[in-house]
Amino acid sequence: MSHARDALGRLKAGITLVPRAFDQLSKSPSQRAAAQLETMFQGIRIPSATDLEALRKRMQAVFTGGDKVPITRRELRNAVWILWNGSPQGAAIPGLMEAMIGAASASPRLIRAMIEAWLRDYAADSGVAREGGLAIRRLLRASQDALLQRWQEADRDFAIFDASKGVPRIAKALLSGRQEVGQIWMAIGLDDSFRATGGYMRAVLSELLAMLPAVLRGSDARVMLDRSLAVLAPDDKLRFGQEMRGAVGRGLLGAWLDAGRAPDAALRDPVRDFLLRHLGDPRTRAPNWTPVGDTATALMRRWLARASLDAFFDLIDEYALDHQWRYRKAFWSAYLERGAIEDAWLALGYRVGSAARAVRDLAGAHGRLEGGGVQGNQSVLLMHIGPLVVCEWSHNGKLRAWPRDWANAPALHRQTYARDDLVSKGLPFPPSPETGVGGSADGMGLVHRGSDNGVWQGSAAELIARKARITLTRSNWMPT
């Protein structure tokens, strides 16, 4: 403590030797107001990282008694930018924060600089940052400066500088408040581009994302989802880019990771579309999804499988003229609803591919059928069901299945497929256990015969039950 007191004494003595930084009594009120407004709008000037590190060493030396040269007003003003970052944080240097508060009590300009630095460098796990916020709050309460009124109101309405209360209060207001999202940003000063990229904004977004899974199960889920998407991606650009991908993916998908009731399309589709735009398709942009985690990524893949399945049968309905389509749709939809289809991918003939651009849910995520033996209006649906790769053709194509680890099993997510990639020998299909007929022993595919009586369906269901341990019965997969 004696070192800190000595340093404070030297600080006060040093400041008397230079023009007084924070005493503007020699100026008229109009001159002072003009100077304050000029300062407010001329932008934030931060010393270089090299200069700040040199300043950190200097402050540490002064306040521990190792440097006897008095601190200048400019050094003290610049020191706000080391208070809550680096090592050691300036606010943790004994005596520096007390000196800063003493100088700021006579300088609204310095208070404003402290606010900017605190919002930029705030970290939720930093004790000195929380203490710094409370110190700023006390300075604001004691100040009569008109240019600080906005921050005084933000602290009064949202407790912004009491981070233990302010961060969750702001996050809750963004999700469910009466004000529009943009109005809230203005009220708390985070509408500014500099502040919108700082640590405090990160903390607010992290808190909001932590709240999302619970609110998306509530009665006002759609309203809160729309507000949260406006917060996360203003102007359709994700805040903090790659840095927030993991938290954004987990927050938006977290409501449905407990294997409970699936979301309605009114919630699922905007979440899915938002994640596709900002994280990409996990089937083709897997590295983007690594920070999201396996469980949430698997859910997203199942949602995309649904989109692929729906698109496949829409295209069959338009192009294949296949009377069996409703039986196939009912069969595979039953496995989709059970969560058995982990992933799905479409390969489309050139005529279908052209039309598929109009299928919004595919968002361009499909392969192409090329080469001989393929009709331009054919399409193929590839699925992962447990350890199996399943290939379903439109028109009169056969159903095939392979273990995933077989060398000739077709891979999902490729951009192009030839016919030979999709018709190689696979697993035999057993007869339907219910009728004792059907099946295909040669491994060359199962004909969709006897749809009305569940013949091929019973055979396919038996293979899936044996290999994937997923059992569905006639009552599950026959259309009503």
Side-chain angles (χ1 to χ4, degrees):
M1 289 299 294
S2 61
H3 286 312
R5 284 194 294 270
D6 291 344
L8 283 169
R10 290 194 299 277
L11 172 66
K12 292 177 181 177
I15 288 177
T16 63
L17 299 177
V18 296
R20 297 184 66 186
F22 312 115
D23 183 1
Q24 300 187 38
L25 295 178
S26 61
K27 297 181 180 180
S28 68
S30 61
Q31 287 175 322
R32 291 199 298 273
Q36 288 173 331
L37 286 170
E38 181 183 5
T39 299
M40 185 176 184
F41 291 106
Q42 67 186 184
I44 297 170
R45 294 177 183 150
I46 305 174
S48 70
T50 301
D51 289 343
L52 288 176
E53 287 309 307
L55 182 60
R56 190 188 312 277
K57 292 179 181 178
R58 162 109 162 107
M59 291 294 170
Q60 190 172 22
V62 168
F63 284 95
T64 56
D67 190 335
K68 307 298 183 183
V69 178
I71 294 172
T72 67
R73 62 184 178 86
R74 181 174 182 177
E75 286 178 318
L76 189 62
R77 183 175 68 243
N78 287 339
V80 298
W81 301 107
I82 64 168
L83 288 177
W84 298 290
N85 64 61
S87 180
Q89 293 186 30
I93 297 173
L96 176 55
M97 195 63 188
E98 290 87 341
M100 189 71 68
I101 292 170
S105 64
S107 171
R109 180 182 179 186
L110 189 55
I111 295 174
R112 292 198 299 275
M114 289 177 67
I115 290 171
E116 299 290 359
W118 187 78
L119 291 172
R120 184 193 73 166
D121 295 330
Y122 175 81
D125 59 353
S126 171
V128 291
R130 289 193 294 272
E131 292 170 6
L134 296 177
I136 292 171
R137 168 180 263 193
R138 291 191 293 270
L139 287 167
L140 287 173
R141 288 176 174 175
S143 177
Q144 300 298 315
D145 185 78
L147 294 179
L148 292 173
Q149 182 178 352
R150 179 186 190 184
W151 295 115
Q152 292 166 334
E153 292 173 351
D155 194 54
R156 181 195 66 206
D157 295 340
F158 293 95
I160 184 173
F161 297 108
D162 183 351
S164 62
K165 297 179 180 178
V167 169
R169 186 176 297 181
I170 293 167
K172 185 176 180 180
L174 289 167
L175 282 173
S176 58
R178 295 181 179 180
Q179 293 176 291
E180 296 293 330
V181 167
Q183 293 175 321
I184 295 172
W185 289 139
M186 290 181 64
I188 60 177
L190 292 184
D191 56 324
D192 175 87
S193 59
F194 178 79
R195 299 173 201 134
T197 59
Y200 198 88
M201 174 65 87
R202 285 185 181 85
V204 170
L205 295 188
S206 295
E207 185 72 21
L208 180 146
L209 289 166
M211 293 178 176
L212 261 184
V215 303
L216 291 182
R217 295 187 184 98
S219 57
D220 293 328
R222 183 55 201 262
V223 172
M224 295 192 188
L225 174 63
D226 290 343
R227 289 176 68 95
S228 69
L229 298 185
V231 169
L232 296 171
D235 302 321
D236 208 28
K237 184 176 181 180
L238 191 65
R239 291 187 190 272
F240 300 104
Q242 297 182 8
E243 180 183 341
M244 294 293 290
R245 281 175 178 167
V248 168
R250 290 190 299 274
L252 287 171
L253 295 169
W256 304 289
L257 297 182
D258 59 0
R261 185 173 64 87
D264 294 334
L267 278 181
R268 181 195 65 222
D269 291 355
V271 169
R272 180 197 64 206
D273 294 346
F274 181 90
L275 292 173
L276 282 174
R277 286 197 307 277
H278 297 293
L279 276 71
D281 190 321
R283 300 170 299 185
T284 56
R285 297 277 197 280
N288 291 357
W289 284 80
T290 300
V292 178
D294 292 343
T295 304
T297 301
L299 175 62
M300 181 66 172
R301 283 176 174 269
R302 290 197 296 274
W303 286 4
L304 294 172
R306 176 184 293 275
S308 294
L309 198 74
D310 289 345
F312 178 73
F313 286 106
D314 284 347
L315 292 168
I316 284 183
D317 191 27
E318 182 176 354
Y319 283 93
L321 303 178
D322 186 343
H323 74 281
Q324 301 174 12
W325 74 268
R326 74 186 188 97
Y327 293 98
R328 299 200 206 184
K329 183 174 184 178
F331 184 82
W332 296 118
S333 294
Y335 283 92
L336 182 72
E337 296 302 329
R338 182 65 65 91
I341 301 177
E342 303 165 24
D343 202 353
W345 187 252
L346 286 180
L348 309 176
Y350 70 89
R351 284 177 56 191
V352 182
S354 176
R357 285 194 291 271
V359 181
R360 181 184 63 87
D361 287 347
L362 282 180
H366 60 81
R368 299 186 306 276
L369 285 174
E370 297 181 344
V374 175
Q375 299 176 38
N377 58 359
Q378 278 187 306
S379 53
V380 168
L381 174 66
L382 292 168
M383 295 171 282
H384 281 166
I385 300 178
L388 299 176
V389 178
V390 177
C391 178
E392 178 71 289
W393 284 76
S394 67
H395 293 68
N396 293 318
K398 295 180 180 180
L399 174 65
R400 289 174 170 81
W402 305 260
R404 286 199 212 183
D405 57 1
W406 279 19
N408 65 328
L412 275 63
H413 316 143
R414 286 171 48 184
Q415 292 303 303
T416 60
Y417 295 86
R419 184 177 185 279
D420 288 348
D421 297 328
L422 304 168
V423 296
S424 63
K425 186 173 182 178
L427 292 168
F429 283 84
S432 169
E434 182 177 334
T435 63
V437 299
S440 174
D442 62 5
M444 296 309 296
L446 179 68
V447 176
H448 297 86
R449 182 180 296 114
S451 296
D452 295 353
N453 298 317
V455 175
W456 73 263
Q457 300 100 307
S459 178
E462 178 64 13
L463 176 68
I464 293 171
R466 293 181 185 182
K467 299 296 184 179
R469 300 290 188 266
I470 300 168
T471 302
L472 271 67
T473 64
R474 182 187 182 92
S475 62
N476 301 126
W477 41 253
M478 281 296 282
T480 56

